[in-house]
Amino acid sequence: MALDTRGSMSMLQRVRAELDRLTPEQALAEQERGALLIDLRTSTHRATSAIIPGSLVIDLTVLPWRLDPTFEYRIPEATGWDNRYILFCRHGYSSSLAAWNLRQLGLSRATDMVGGYDAWVEAGLPTTTDPADERP
């Protein structure tokens, strides 16, 4: 009998097999070496929690355009195809799909954080209540 490859979780499993996903501790270490952490959480989720210091908030609907180094309305940090972007959402589901999509775009070093923001907090890593760096 053939395996059923339909559905969101099957797709997520296939996508994640192509990513070099990072633990929160690994993500922090890479951020300290210059990687950009991108917060994809909804405004509702961000409103009820702290943020990761130094992370940028970019709405998922505009993410590919903001990180495309050739696009007129990119963020200033989007300077090359080999930039390291580490995406995170609340639990690490949407961020996996978003990182895979960025790789399809040509951003070959995009990845995401295992467990998302919740795993970061659970690991006891730094958060702040300072205003988020939102990039519309």
Side-chain angles (χ1 to χ4, degrees):
M1 177 185 260
L3 292 175
D4 191 351
T5 58
R6 297 175 293 184
S8 58
M9 294 311 289
S10 291
M11 182 173 73
L12 189 62
Q13 185 176 19
R14 290 190 309 274
V15 162
R16 285 179 170 170
E18 296 184 34
L19 298 173
D20 59 326
R21 302 184 76 219
L22 303 173
T23 65
E25 294 83 1
Q26 291 169 321
L28 176 59
E30 288 207 24
Q31 182 189 36
E32 290 170 347
R33 291 191 300 272
L36 285 178
L37 267 61
I38 310 290
D39 188 343
L40 304 176
R41 293 177 297 152
T42 65
S43 58
T44 302
H45 290 144
R46 286 193 326 275
T48 59
S49 62
I51 62 165
I52 295 175
S55 64
L56 305 180
V57 175
I58 302 177
D59 190 274
L60 192 54
T61 60
V62 296
L63 182 68
W65 292 273
R66 297 300 177 258
L67 299 184
D68 179 342
T70 65
F71 191 66
E72 179 180 3
Y73 299 108
R74 69 187 175 274
I75 62 170
E77 295 86 351
T79 58
W81 294 105
D82 61 348
N83 288 6
R84 182 63 154 172
Y85 299 115
I86 303 167
L87 311 180
F88 66 93
C89 58
R90 187 174 179 192
H91 300 294
Y93 294 96
S94 335
S95 58
S96 292
L97 294 176
W100 183 84
N101 281 327
L102 291 177
R103 286 188 176 212
Q104 305 314 298
L105 182 70
L107 295 164
S108 62
R109 297 185 64 221
T111 193
D112 80 318
M113 185 168 54
V114 176
Y117 176 82
D118 286 355
W120 180 281
V121 170
E122 188 175 308
L125 298 177
T127 60
T128 183
T129 56
D130 290 344
D133 186 352
E134 295 188 47
R135 305 295 180 90

